Amino acid sequence: MSTPNVVPGTDTGLLAAELLEEERVKNATPYVPPRKPFNFGRWIRATGWRHIVGIVMVVFSLFPLLFVLSSSLNPQGTLTGSNALFSAIGIDSYVRILSSPDIPYAAWFMNTLVIASVTAVATVFLGALAAYSFSRMRFTGRRFGLITIVVVQMFPQLLAVVAIFLLMSAIGDWFPAIGLNTHLGLIMVYLGGALGVNTYLMYGFFNTVPASIDEAAKIDGAGHARIFFTIILRLVAPILAVVALLSFIGTVNEFVVASVLLIDPEKQTLAVGLTKLVSNPRYADWSAFTAGAVMAALPVMALFLFLQKYIVGGLTAGSVK
């Protein structure tokens, strides 16, 4: 079979020329620029210094953690014997703090988990309610309330320890369930001190959610309660996770208020109980203290790893298709 003649200038000729050009481009060898030789100085100036700074910061951050872990595994029970990292390894400290009848570590651990969990959940819920009200509603005293929240946060809760003690002592005379030496009373104090900053933090995030979503829901007949629970809370999940994590960590590490309000050793938290192990100037069981601190850090690490996907993933999630 003979190939038909292609007449230049016609549609058939243009199509054939395009096919030939595509075939030539496809078979052509791509141009690869010559690779420059590696220059250590140029790499340091470009990106190498960032790696060096990162490595230094990682070593600087990990050294205290390694020292605490080494001290918890040191059977001597002193910090002077822990200067050489992991010079002696044993689990005597963990066994002693978990089995000693004078150290109710299990009770401290459970008290801390309950108080921190309830405080985190209540802080997120109440803070979200207040932030939604300030963000979506217009009422008398709204601006004054926001300014008051900012001004009150200028004064740390530590300044009100004496007032908190006297207040809880007076409340305990009328309502013993929420007075001194009660977990519920301590939770209420934590909520009062944390709602201000968390409300203002959530308020700024709530303002980033388009108001058109609320308007569309109102057209469909939804009220504020339905909009808040079914729409807004899902869109502001990142800030809820951040507030929950910060509240949990802050409650676990809090010492001053808990040491003032909780009197019985069985009702105290980890921060208060572990401090007693090193409060004796004659003998401070630093090995047991660090062992308890290592175990106390496990719930915080687990919560951080659990909420990390919500924090990272939620920041890139959008509310509009």
Side-chain angles (χ1 to χ4, degrees), residues 23-310:
E23 188 69 19
R24 186 186 65 80
V25 172
K26 184 184 299 183
N27 296 331
T29 302
Y31 172 75
V32 179
R35 186 175 181 179
K36 296 181 180 180
F38 178 76
N39 188 297
F40 183 77
R42 183 171 60 249
W43 177 78
I44 287 292
R45 291 190 298 270
T47 60
W49 65 271
R50 302 177 184 177
H51 295 77
I52 297 175
V53 172
I55 293 174
V56 172
M57 294 304 297
V58 169
V59 173
F60 183 79
S61 302
L62 288 180
F63 180 76
L65 302 179
L66 293 176
F67 189 82
V68 170
L69 182 60
S70 175
S71 178
S72 66
L73 296 175
N74 187 355
Q76 297 180 5
T78 60
L79 289 180
T80 55
S82 302
N83 293 333
L85 295 178
F86 303 102
S87 58
I89 297 178
I91 60 173
D92 299 344
S93 302
Y94 293 89
V95 174
R96 184 168 65 254
I97 196 174
L98 292 175
S99 60
S100 176
D102 299 331
I103 305 176
Y105 184 83
W108 297 342
F109 194 88
M110 291 304 301
N111 295 338
T112 303
L113 285 183
V114 172
I115 293 174
S117 300
V118 174
T119 302
V121 173
T123 298
V124 170
F125 180 69
L126 296 179
L129 288 175
Y132 177 80
S133 301
F134 282 115
S135 177
R136 290 298 193 265
M137 301 178 183
R138 298 296 181 266
F139 50 89
T140 304
R142 172 179 171 273
R143 183 176 178 83
F144 177 77
L146 289 173
I147 296 176
T148 303
I149 290 175
V150 178
V151 173
V152 169
Q153 297 309 308
M154 296 174 58
F155 304 94
Q157 195 178 25
L158 182 63
L159 297 177
V161 170
V162 177
I164 291 174
F165 176 82
L166 296 176
L167 179 63
M168 299 304 294
S169 178
I171 292 177
D173 295 337
W174 295 90
F175 304 99
I178 57 175
L180 288 176
N181 201 30
T182 60
H183 292 166
L184 185 58
L186 181 62
I187 291 173
M188 293 180 62
V189 173
Y190 286 156
L191 291 178
L195 283 179
V197 61
N198 292 326
T199 298
Y200 198 79
L201 183 64
M202 292 184 183
Y203 166 76
F205 200 92
F206 273 59
N207 288 338
T208 62
V209 178
S212 58
I213 298 178
D214 300 25
E215 297 172 357
K218 290 179 181 179
I219 294 175
D220 293 337
H224 283 293
R226 187 174 181 181
I227 294 174
F228 175 76
F229 286 105
T230 61
I231 300 177
I232 300 298
L233 286 184
R234 298 181 181 181
L235 301 179
V236 297
I239 195 62
L240 300 183
V242 171
V243 171
L245 180 62
L246 295 179
S247 177
F248 187 88
I249 295 175
T251 304
V252 171
N253 296 331
E254 204 282 322
F255 169 77
V256 177
V257 177
S259 63
V260 172
L261 297 184
L262 300 180
I263 302 173
D264 295 340
E266 294 77 11
K267 293 186 178 181
Q268 292 175 343
T269 59
L270 281 172
V272 180
L274 291 178
T275 305
K276 292 183 177 180
L277 300 179
V278 294
S279 59
N280 189 352
R282 295 184 178 180
Y283 175 72
D285 195 352
W286 287 102
S287 183
F289 175 83
T290 53
V294 170
M295 291 187 290
L298 296 179
V300 178
M301 294 176 57
L303 181 64
F304 179 83
L305 294 176
F306 175 75
L307 295 179
Q308 187 178 16
K309 58 182 179 181
Y310 295 99

